[in-house]
Structures are given as C-alpha cells and as structure tokens.
Amino acid sequence: NRMKRARARHKPCALKELEVSVSELGLGYESDETVLFRYCSGTCDTAVRNYDLSLKSVRSKRRIRKEKVRARPCCRPLSYDDDVSFLDAYNRYYTVNELSAKECGCV
Amino acid sequence: DETLRSLAAPPSPPGQDPQGWRAPVDCVRANELCAAEPSCSSRYRTLRQCLAGRDRNTMLANKECQAALEVLQESPLYDCRCKRGMKKELQCLQIYWSIHLGLTEGEEFYEASPYEPVTSRLSDIFRLASIFSGMDPATNSKSNHCLDAAKACNLNDNCKRLRSGYISTCSKEISATEHCSRRKCHKALRQFFDRVPSEYTYRLLFCSCKDQACAERRRQTIVPSCSYEDKHKPNCLELRNVCRADHLCRSRLADFHANCQASFQSLTSCPGDNYQACLGSYAGLIGFDMTPNYVDASTTSITISPWCSCKGSGNLEEECEKFLRDFTENPCLRNAIQAFGNGTDVNLTPRTRLVPVTVPPRTEKSPSPDDINYSNTIYDTSIITTCTSIQEHGQKLNKSKEQSLCYSETQLTTDTMPDQKTFVDPKAGGSRHWAGRILPTVPVLLLVLVL
C-alpha cells in the first residue's frame, strides 16, 4: 500500500480533473453549480535541464545568495480552458476565464 | 427523368399535405434537380422574379407568373422540406418560401411547416439521458433538477463551451445605455440550441421544479434580461409580422404551430401525440424575435409567452388572443414540458427500431397517388411477426401504467379504426406526421393503449 502511494506521488506531470462546486473555488462566488476543474499534477524529474543542474551548483557554491531561485522544473498549465459561465445563488450570471488547465507541462 | 417524375406530386391544396409520408427531398437538392431541367429552371427563375418585391396578388395578376407557379407545382420543388440546423438552412428556407408564398395567401393564421416531420420520441432522449443519471446522486443537490441539468452541461465540453458562449455574450454590457447586444445574444443562443444535443438542452430548458429557486433558475436559462425582456412590450400580431418578415423566424413559428397546436382529438393534446416534436419546435423559436420563455418562477403552473401582449389590438383583439393562447394556455405544450420533467412519454405509435429485417416489403411498386389513401391500404396486408419483441417492449411500458397488446391482422383493421381517428387532425399537420411515422413501420403494428 505504501508502495502504491509512493508510486502515485511520483507520477509524471499530467492533467487531472475534479468535479467541484463554484463556491469551493474560493473566488468569492456563491453558487451550487458544479464545474469541471482540470489541474496539473505530477513530478518533473525527467524534465531536469542543464539549466537546473547548473543553477543548483552555482547556488551551492554560494554565488547566488539573496535572490529567490528555483532549480527544478515545475508542473504547470501550458494553456487554459475556455471560459466557464454559471448562475449564482442570487440569479446573476458570471463568466470566469482561465479557470481550468487545458494542457500541462514541466516548465 | 425517373427521379424527377416520382418526386413530382399531384397538385393538392396546401396545408393538407397528404404526400407527407414520402421521404421528402430537401429544397437545396430539389433546386439542383430543377436546375438540371431546362423547363423547370426557367419557370423557377421567372417565379423568383415575379415574387421579388411584390405581393401575391400583383404577382398572380401576371399570366406568366401564374403559369410558372402552376408548372412548378409538378416539380420536386413543390413538396421539398428543410431540416433544422442543416447546412444551408437559410438557403433551403428561401427556396421553400419562394414557392409557398406564391401558393398561400401568406397571411394565414397557421402556416404549413417547411421542416421535415420529427420521428424521434422523448423516450429516445431518456435512454441517452440515463447514461448521465448515474453521476447525479441527487442527494447533495436537494434534487434540484435544473441544477443537475447545469452540472450535466458543465461536465460536457461541447455543452459547457456553447453555454458559456451565450451566457457571456448575453450578459456582456455594451454601454451605460445599451444593456447588451440582443442580436449577438440571439445568435449565440441559436448556436447553443442547434449544436448541443437535446438531452442537454431540454434538461436545462424543461427541468421540473419543486421550489422557487429551481423555477427561477429555469426561467433564467436563456438569460431573459437580454434575449427576452425589452423596454417596450409590442403587440403580439405586430411581433408576428416582424417574425414573418424573416424566413428563419417565419419557418420556426410555422413549425411550432404545426407541432404544438393543441388538438382536442388526441390523448396528449399534441398533434400525433408527439411530445418530442413539440419541444423541439419550441426550442427552435429561441433566439428569434418570437423567443418564448416562462413568464414567472411559479413551480405549480407553467406559463409560457413570447414578449408581447394584446394591448392595442383594435378590432383584431380576438385574433391576437388566439395567437397568444397558443403559448400561454396550450395544453399540448404544457403536457409536453411536464412529461419531459417527469421522464414520461406516451407510446402510441410503433417504433422504427422494432421493425424486423426479415419481413418482406409490402409493395415493390413506387408510390402512386392511390397509396395516399393510407386509411385502408396501410393496414390490410400487414402481418404481425414479432409479437415477442413487442411483448418484451411492452413489459417495460407496463411499469408506467401502460399496457401493450399484440394484435392479429384482422383485429387490427377492425379494432384500431376508431382509435386511429384520434391521430387525424384535419386542421393541423397532424395527419402528415402520423402518416410519416407509420409508413416505414407498416409490417409491425404495435398498439399500446395508455390506460
């Protein structure tokens, strides 16, 4: 079981989806309407570039000290889904853009 | 040649349309067939010139125009039809009305529908909808069917995209004075209802409600503040004239009248007891000048109306009220909406999919005018071969208080005759729809009596 969980944690970066209510999105809208929320999840171990290795090395030699840098690729949306519209609890329509991921990648 | 000859219909008064059972050619295709024949194409060109910018009476005063019209009544153009959402729908309808405006007064209360009769039933949608029902555990949403319908749409990429499309268009403010672009909103609504399958669109539009929040959501489906309401409420006959000036709106209105006209001779009050056809033509009006909607968020009584009233009708008050009542007090439309909400459908007619492939065709000859007298010929040679499949089907129906019976051919001819009268509505296109459905299913007659 632990093995299964470990393997799940190390899945490569990919698009996943979840049914959530609009209220759960935390954007301040009050609505019971359900939307499909697609997000990016997974590791980027195989996408490490020479950039990441070099940055890590330079940082460890304390050549970069005060700045915030990230020396590993990150699983993020490459593009976003179309707009999502819904009716809220007060019968007003709203449209939200860039809510859901369309394509994921290690950047 | 042969195709042309078999398509040419014997002239008959419009409106009765006894040829409806023949698979109609669409008018774009009929136009092509006509263009291939020099005599037909020249007459058609003449007629179009006759009709351009003239009313019917001035046109018919011209002998050449009259002759052209008479010849064209024998051509495939005469009984051609169009399909909703087909490619070149507008072109098809323009061809249809170019002939039919010459044939009729063009000012009749009910006009014949240029669309092909609908043969599918509500139960076809329910079968598809049951695929989704598994994901609706109805518990977390307090069984708000309209909310479930929105969820089903949001989880389908195509439905979500086109729904968001019309919602954002219809709720986009243009300026301080202009609340929204009604033209763009209507266009987006038409795209939604034309391109999204009806198992999604009907669920949103005709969901059944127990509380006001649900009914208000149902009323809000088409974004009425932009697509429906207006500062000025026009007279309904005035609005009808505006609609009839547009080929698409005119066609959709004629289709609504053909499929939702209350008929007191059928069980459901609908022509041919076809709920699906009525709901389809109702949805077909959305996005035009005659856009209908729920007038309030009442849960008990459903009242539908276009945005118009009968104020200022003058001496046409009666006609105006009659027109408006087809929306506000229409038992067919109301029954159809309720039946969809409850998930029930009547099964009075045989279903095409029950036809066994092994049954030999009843007749080899091409349709002749004699066959139009379907009242007797259709029944007498039919043989029941699939009682088992009918009974199987019937068992399912028994659950919904309906009973199916398996008749022998002799019983059919005698027993069903009194019932059959209920389908024939001389005023409406009812007889055409009924005939259109029965012909392909001649070998099998499943008679289900709703008790």
Side-chain angles (χ1 to χ4, degrees), chain B residues 279-346:
Chain B
L279 296 182
S281 20
Y282 174 90
L285 279 173
I286 295 170
F288 294 95
D289 291 307
M290 202 53 82
T291 298
N293 198 25
Y294 300 88
V295 296
D296 54 32
S298 162
T299 49
T300 44
S301 69
I302 291 172
T303 312
I304 300 280
S305 173
W307 187 256
C308 66
S309 78
C310 281
K311 272 190 200 136
S313 296
N315 61 349
L316 295 175
E317 175 101 36
E318 214 171 298
E319 189 179 353
C320 183
E321 292 289 351
K322 182 175 182 239
F323 178 81
L324 189 54
R325 269 200 307 274
D326 279 335
F327 291 92
T328 54
E329 290 165 45
N330 184 333
C332 163
L333 179 59
R334 195 170 296 167
N335 288 345
I337 292 174
Q338 268 158 3
F340 184 82
N342 301 335
T344 52
D345 193 7
V346 272

Side-chain angles (χ1 to χ4, degrees), chain B residues 168-186:
Chain B
S168 58
T169 309
C170 298
S171 45
K172 192 182 280 166
E173 207 164 301
I174 305 290
S175 63
T177 48
E178 213 178 346
H179 171 58
C180 68
S181 165
R182 195 187 180 94
R183 192 181 53 83
K184 284 185 184 164
C185 170
H186 276 179

Side-chain angles (χ1 to χ4, degrees), chain B residues 194-329:
Chain B
D194 279 347
R195 294 188 197 165
V196 177
S198 44
E199 61 259 33
Y200 293 107
T201 57
Y202 287 15
R203 269 184 99 182
L204 283 165
L205 209 50
F206 308 121
C207 42
S208 66
C209 285
K210 289 190 193 104
D211 60 85
Q212 203 166 0
C214 172
E216 179 57 21
R217 174 175 275 277
R218 178 174 62 191
R219 195 185 74 84
Q220 290 285 350
T221 303
I222 62 166
V223 198
S225 62
C226 183
S227 71
Y228 180 66
E229 291 154 21
D230 211 345
K231 280 170 232 148
H232 166 67
K233 205 172 202 179
N235 178 274
C236 291
L237 296 179
E238 201 179 285
L239 188 65
R240 183 177 67 176
N241 287 342
V242 172
C243 176
R244 282 189 171 175
D246 172 64
H247 283 314
L248 268 163
C249 190
R250 179 179 212 138
S251 308
R252 300 294 174 99
L253 183 62
D255 197 52
F256 173 76
H257 281 147
N259 293 317
C260 291
Q261 200 185 132
S263 144
F264 298 100
Q265 287 146 311
S266 68
L267 271 168
T268 58
S269 307
C270 281
D273 289 303
N274 192 339
Y275 283 150
Q276 161 85 14
C278 176
L279 296 182
S281 20
Y282 174 90
L285 279 173
I286 295 170
F288 294 95
D289 291 307
M290 202 53 82
T291 298
N293 198 25
Y294 300 88
V295 296
D296 54 32
S298 162
T299 49
T300 44
S301 69
I302 291 172
T303 312
I304 300 280
S305 173
W307 187 256
C308 66
S309 78
C310 281
K311 272 190 200 136
S313 296
N315 61 349
L316 295 175
E317 175 101 36
E318 214 171 298
E319 189 179 353
C320 183
E321 292 289 351
K322 182 175 182 239
F323 178 81
L324 189 54
R325 269 200 307 274
D326 279 335
F327 291 92
T328 54
E329 290 165 45

Side-chain angles (χ1 to χ4, degrees), chain A residues 33-34 85 87 91 93, chain B residues 154 157 163-164 216-217 220:
Chain A
E33 216 170 284
T34 307
S85 297
L87 187 71
N91 293 307
Y93 276 113
Chain B
N154 284 343
D157 281 328
R163 177 173 179 249
S164 298
E216 179 57 21
R217 174 175 275 277
Q220 290 285 350

Side-chain angles (χ1 to χ4, degrees), chain B residues 119-194:
Chain B
T119 49
S120 58
R121 314 292 293 186
L122 271 191
S123 19
D124 297 326
I125 292 186
F126 297 146
R127 199 171 308 112
L128 286 163
S130 67
I131 301 166
F132 311 118
S133 60
M135 74 187 184
D136 284 332
T139 40
N140 54 8
S141 56
K142 285 175 265 163
S143 77
N144 179 333
H145 292 301
C146 296
L147 198 56
D148 293 341
K151 177 182 174 179
C153 180
N154 284 343
L155 298 186
N156 174 282
D157 281 328
N158 183 42
C159 189
K160 188 205 78 178
R161 190 172 54 83
L162 289 165
R163 177 173 179 249
S164 298
Y166 81 74
I167 289 174
S168 58
T169 309
C170 298
S171 45
K172 192 182 280 166
E173 207 164 301
I174 305 290
S175 63
T177 48
E178 213 178 346
H179 171 58
C180 68
S181 165
R182 195 187 180 94
R183 192 181 53 83
K184 284 185 184 164
C185 170
H186 276 179
K187 192 181 172 200
L189 276 166
R190 292 200 297 270
Q191 278 180 350
F192 177 74
F193 286 103
D194 279 347

